Structure formats: structure tokens, C-alpha cells
């Protein structure tokens, strides 16, 4: 089966950004993944909306190792844990583009994790290149460019489906990021810390286009790849399920502060 025929084998739905509290996005990831796996929702591309800054850590990280909690409190930054693995990220609503893909596992059947990361992010590379950005995939989970790293992806395969989500940097408050994240502060020299920030190449530095224009080009490119997108939204039932997951899991201290 060709790359494009894998995408076009499904009727894809699109959920546009809906500003919500940080923890809601993480709960929705599990709800929509479960629903796609159960055949209760069509394969879906969702762009995240946010109303507050956050530091999100990977499933197998610890808050103490990754976050300066005092700095996070000082700036009103929420600390959350996502369903997938990978590293900690500093997120400000207007400086980040995050999307999630929820699909049957058959979409990536026969692929290794490395192959599936490249496959599931290839449309993003195409969209960015169409905007004049020299972007490419760097194994295992980075989207990078000649101007620096643009973003990273994470993935989970469970409940009969695959969740693949990625966060792209549109702009970056590097000073605040370095205050809040523990990027080896004890070990890095000032020069090293500067280098850590410079490794990121935000899209705003590489193009003068507004963030929303980049998102629209991404949507257009995905639609071309899969043969069209059906406009959709999170249902009342899905939001209710997310609220329950926040109460029992994603909004609890036990989940956020669990040690791997």
C-alpha cells in the first residue's frame, strides 16, 4: 500500500483549536484515542487550543527532575503530565502549535516506531517547505530545519489505536523557558545554556507569517494528503468523558507527581 493510499483509506475529521485549560487537552487525547480505537469516532486530526501557559512532562519523567516549581508558580504556569513519553516542554499559548492524530493502528501496520514517526509527520514537513522553510525529519521524533529545531513528536499505541502528537515552536521566550525547565542547569555553563536555547528555531524567526496562517497551510496539506477533511468538534459526551478523566487522573496530584 502506498503512503498516500494509507491516508486516503479513511474519512478523516478535523477539530480546530478550542481554547481550554491545559489539563483538558491531555484528557481529550485519551478520550479521542479510545473512541477511535473502539470505532466510535472517525480518524481525527485535532489542533490544540490553550488559555494558559504550561510545562508538560513526558509519561516517564518526574516533576522534580524537570521543573523548577517555584519559577512555575511565580509565572502562573501549570504543570501537567501527558499520556505519551518523551521530554518536558515549556508551552505558551500563542507561541506553540500542537496537533494530535488519532487513527486505527492499521494506519501504521508493519512500521517500526522510527518509520511511523517519519510517516505521520511527513505532511508537516511538506506544509513547512511550501512556506519556504527548509524543514526535515530527524529520527527519532524531531522536526528540524537549517534554522534550528522546530518541534518534536511523541506517540502511543493503545486501546486499538495510535495517538501521534507533535508540538512546533512558533516563537520562544527562551529566558523564561530556561528559568522554568531544568535543562541541566547545574552542569551547563552560561555558554551551554545559551546554546540550548539557540538549538530551537521558532517558525516566527524563519517566516514572517502569522501563526494562524501556518496552521491553515498545515490543514490544507493534510487535507490534500488524505483526500479531504470533515469539519468536526468535540462532542458533549467526549467532553464529559474528559472531565471525568480530569477528576480521576489527569487533574490529580497522583498523576502529575507519580514517579516512573
Amino acid at each position: 500500500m502506498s503512503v498516500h493510499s494509507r491516508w486516503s483509506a479513511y474519512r478523516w475529521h478535523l477539530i480546530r483549536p478550542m481554547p481550554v485549560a491545559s489539563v483538558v487537552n491531555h484528557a481529550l487525547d485519551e478520550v479521542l484515542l479510545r473512541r477511535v480505537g473502539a470505532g466510535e469516532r472517525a480518524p481525527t486530526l485535532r489542533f490544540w487550543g490553550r488559555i494558559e501557559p504550561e510545562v508538560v512532562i513526558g509519561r516517564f519523567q518526574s516533576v522534580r527532575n524537570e521543573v523548577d516549581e517555584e519559577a512555575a508558580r511565580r509565572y502562573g504556569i501549570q504543570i501537567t503530565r501527558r499520556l505519551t513519553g518523551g521530554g518536558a516542554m515549556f508551552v505558551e499559548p500563542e507561541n506553540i502549535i500542537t496537533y494530535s492524530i488519532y487513527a486505527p493502528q492499521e494506519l501504521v501496520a508493519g512500521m517500526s516506531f522510527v518509520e511511523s514517526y517519519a510517516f505521520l509527520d511527513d505532511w508537516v514537513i511538506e506544509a513547512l517547505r511550501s512556506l519556504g522553510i527548509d524543514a526535515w525529519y530527524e529520527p527519532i521524533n524531531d522536526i528540524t530545519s537549517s534554522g534550528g529545531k522546530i518541534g518534536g513528536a511523541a506517540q502511543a499505541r493503545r486501546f486499538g489505536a495510535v495517538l501521534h502528537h507533535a508540538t512546533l515552536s512558533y516563537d520562544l521566550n527562551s529566558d523564561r523557558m530556561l528559568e522554568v525547565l531544568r535543562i541541566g542547569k547545574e552542569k551547563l555553563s552560561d555558554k551551554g545554556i545559551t546554546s540550548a536555547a539557540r538549538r530551537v528555531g521558532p517558525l516566527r524567526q524563519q517566516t514572517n507569517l502569522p501563526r494562524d496562517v501556518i496552521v491553515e497551510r498545515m490543514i490544507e496539506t493534510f487535507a490534500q494528503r488524505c483526500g479531504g477533511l470533515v469539519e468536526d468538534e468535540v462532542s458533549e459526551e467526549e467532553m464529559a468523558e474528559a472531565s471525568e478523566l480530569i477528576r480521576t487522573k489527569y487533574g490529580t496530584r497522583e498523576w502529575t507527581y507519580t514517579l516512573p
Side-chain angles (χ1 to χ4, degrees):
M1 184 182 293
S2 71
V3 168
H4 285 274
S5 62
R6 279 184 182 254
W7 288 107
S8 59
Y10 305 98
R11 185 64 166 151
W12 287 85
H13 285 210
L14 169 68
I15 297 177
R16 293 181 179 273
M18 173 183 63
V20 293
S22 302
V23 71
V24 176
N25 279 311
H26 302 295
L28 281 174
D29 259 1
E30 180 169 335
V31 169
L32 300 184
L33 178 65
R34 286 178 179 274
R35 287 201 161 224
V36 169
E40 299 169 350
R41 161 173 279 282
T44 299
L45 168 67
R46 178 174 75 96
F47 281 86
W48 294 28
R50 295 178 168 94
I51 60 174
E52 60 196 356
E54 69 175 307
V55 170
V56 54
I57 63 173
R59 176 67 183 89
F60 305 106
Q61 294 184 306
S62 70
V63 171
R64 184 167 63 179
N65 288 345
E66 305 297 331
V67 186
D68 184 326
E69 293 184 74
E70 183 180 342
R73 283 192 294 270
R74 185 163 63 247
Y75 294 118
I77 296 170
Q78 302 299 307
I79 300 173
T80 60
R81 180 187 298 274
R82 62 179 178 270
L83 177 64
T84 58
M89 296 183 301
F90 170 65
V91 175
E92 293 179 306
E94 296 307 313
N95 289 346
I96 287 292
I97 298 170
T98 300
Y99 63 86
S100 291
I101 294 171
Y102 315 94
Q105 287 199 25
E106 288 76 18
L107 179 66
V108 293
M111 295 183 189
S112 67
F113 270 96
V114 174
E115 291 169 338
S116 68
Y117 273 93
F119 169 73
L120 291 168
D121 283 336
D122 185 64
W123 62 280
V124 180
I125 305 299
E126 180 182 340
L128 295 178
R129 286 178 176 171
S130 75
L131 295 172
I133 298 166
D134 180 27
W136 66 85
Y137 165 72
E138 189 168 284
I140 178 174
N141 62 342
D142 286 346
I143 296 172
T144 192
S145 71
S146 53
K149 178 179 173 179
I150 295 171
Q155 192 179 119
R157 300 184 190 184
R158 61 190 67 175
F159 314 127
V162 56
L163 161 66
H164 182 91
H165 53 196
T167 293
L168 310 182
S169 175
Y170 176 71
D171 205 350
L172 179 65
N173 184 339
S174 58
D175 290 340
R176 186 159 297 179
M177 178 188 75
L178 291 168
E179 278 191 72
V180 176
L181 292 184
R182 297 188 186 279
I183 309 177
K185 289 181 181 179
E186 297 79 3
K187 298 179 181 178
L188 287 177
S189 64
D190 290 342
K191 182 178 180 181
I193 291 175
T194 301
S195 297
R198 284 181 177 172
R199 284 198 294 269
V200 179
L203 294 170
R204 190 172 184 178
Q205 293 179 9
Q206 303 191 52
T207 174
N208 292 322
L209 294 172
R211 177 179 173 276
D212 290 347
V213 171
I214 296 173
V215 171
E216 284 304 316
R217 177 59 59 88
M218 292 172 67
I219 291 172
E220 291 167 7
T221 304
F222 192 96
Q224 291 167 2
R225 180 67 59 94
C226 68
L229 279 166
V230 177
E231 295 280 346
D232 199 359
E233 58 187 21
V234 176
S235 70
E236 290 184 7
E237 293 81 6
E238 290 167 339
M239 189 58 77
E241 289 178 22
S243 296
E244 180 61 15
L245 271 179
I246 291 168
R247 187 185 70 80
T248 60
K249 183 176 181 178
Y250 292 98
T252 67
R253 184 175 179 85
E254 289 76 16
W255 169 260
T256 303
Y257 286 87
T258 187
L259 293 175

